[in-house]
Amino acid sequence: MSELGPARPSRARHHACIHPETYKYFFARREVAAVWDRLAAAYGEIRRGGPFGIIEIHSPRFIFRATMGGNPITVIRTRHCSEADVEALHRLIGYED
């Protein structure tokens, strides 16, 4: 990982969340705005605000959240989320295991 972020998207499990399949996805700084644009096109409107400058998208299958700057993106699966939904998300954001 360089100072501009990883060359390829990467992720790390976020153990502090109530859902056990919550991950933080890390992107190169130059790519993160485009990733948020793709997420908004696929999953709904980006909401911004609050005292910490939170960026969020709420959809039936995922909640996407980040602080100001938008990186990393915390991805929280909802109870309606399937493995096929996760695979579709990974294709959209360019993440590979």
Side-chain angles (χ1 to χ4, degrees), residues 78-94:
T78 71
R79 61 186 160 146
H80 304 292
C81 185
S82 70
E83 286 305 315
D85 295 319
V86 173
E87 291 170 8
L89 169 66
H90 287 173
R91 283 190 301 277
L92 180 72
I93 64 175

Side-chain angles (χ1 to χ4, degrees), residues 4-6 25-29 32 36 55 66-73:
L4 299 177
Y25 289 79
F26 299 84
F27 301 91
R29 190 178 311 162
V32 75
W36 276 102
I55 303 166
T67 57
M68 199 172 357
N71 201 17
I73 300 172

Side-chain angles (χ1 to χ4, degrees), residues 45-89:
E45 178 184 357
I46 297 173
R47 294 189 266 175
R48 301 172 194 269
F52 300 106
I54 300 296
I55 303 166
E56 292 183 309
I57 296 173
H58 287 253
S59 75
R61 289 171 173 57
F62 297 103
I63 298 169
F64 304 96
R65 185 175 290 154
T67 57
M68 199 172 357
N71 201 17
I73 300 172
T74 301
V75 178
I76 304 165
R77 292 173 62 166
T78 71
R79 61 186 160 146
H80 304 292
C81 185
S82 70
E83 286 305 315
D85 295 319
V86 173
E87 291 170 8
L89 169 66

